Amino acid sequence: MKTQMLVNGTVIDHLPEGMGLHCLEILKKHLQGSETLIVFINVPSSQQKKKDMIKIQDFYLDDATSTYLSLLAPHITINIIKDAQVVKKINPEIPFEIKGTIACINSRCISNTEGYTPEYDVQSKEPVILKCKYCEFEFTPG
């Protein structure tokens, strides 16, 4: 299968089957609107039976967004492309603690009601389970 080649930009690879569009929704708030996007759904994979992939021309992920995507897809690979060459390959690690990346899903948590920065301990990395440091609510992001 031949895929569209990027000259400069980011390839988010090894997304679990069905996660491509969900991850794209998360990325939309970081995009300017002029980037060329290619989303591959259910692509055959040697590591997984099927995978999703996102290619974004002239766009580079920041560390916080890379970490957030790793919470949704722990085995992703992020390739940075410059002049049609992979110049950096990132396998984001899920940290033991997360601060400020996502809101607590408990609507009564003080991080939602009183403006505290959300903070979590990672209880499990597979599946990813977060525990809020304020209300102790446990959940899987996504």
Side-chain angles (χ1 to χ4, degrees):
M1 179 178 93
K2 187 173 179 168
T3 58
Q4 179 69 34
M5 181 188 234
L6 288 183
V7 177
N8 295 299
T10 302
V11 176
I12 303 166
D13 199 0
H14 302 112
L15 290 166
E17 181 180 3
M19 287 295 292
L21 293 176
H22 183 62
C23 290
L24 181 59
E25 278 300 312
I26 292 162
L27 291 171
K28 277 185 180 179
K29 63 183 168 188
H30 301 284
L31 299 172
Q32 303 296 314
S34 60
E35 299 88 355
T36 300
L37 289 159
I38 303 168
V39 180
F40 297 91
I41 306 291
N42 297 330
V43 177
S45 169
S46 59
Q47 293 180 4
Q48 304 157 251
K49 283 186 176 184
K50 301 236 178 188
K51 67 179 179 180
D52 291 358
M53 182 186 329
I54 301 172
K55 294 184 176 188
I56 311 169
Q57 182 72 33
D58 298 320
F59 175 80
Y60 303 96
L61 290 176
D62 60 25
D63 289 340
T65 307
S66 297
T67 298
Y68 184 55
L69 290 177
S70 75
L71 295 174
L72 301 173
H75 302 290
I76 64 169
T77 302
I78 299 169
N79 295 304
I80 305 301
I81 312 295
K82 294 199 176 164
D83 297 322
Q85 298 292 318
V86 176
V87 295
K88 188 174 183 182
K89 190 175 280 259
I90 304 165
N91 298 98
E93 291 285 325
I94 298 172
F96 293 105
E97 295 181 329
I98 297 168
K99 185 174 183 176
T101 306
I102 55 177
C104 183
I105 63 171
N106 178 1
S107 61
R108 297 179 299 176
C109 180
I110 63 170
S111 66
N112 291 318
T113 61
E114 297 182 28
Y116 287 79
T117 300
E119 295 183 43
Y120 309 94
D121 289 319
V122 176
Q123 299 296 299
S124 169
K125 292 187 177 189
E126 198 151 326
V128 176
I129 299 173
L130 304 180
K131 181 177 182 179
C132 179
K133 288 188 177 185
Y134 299 111
C135 70
E136 298 187 348
F137 194 82
E138 290 186 10
F139 64 98
T140 299

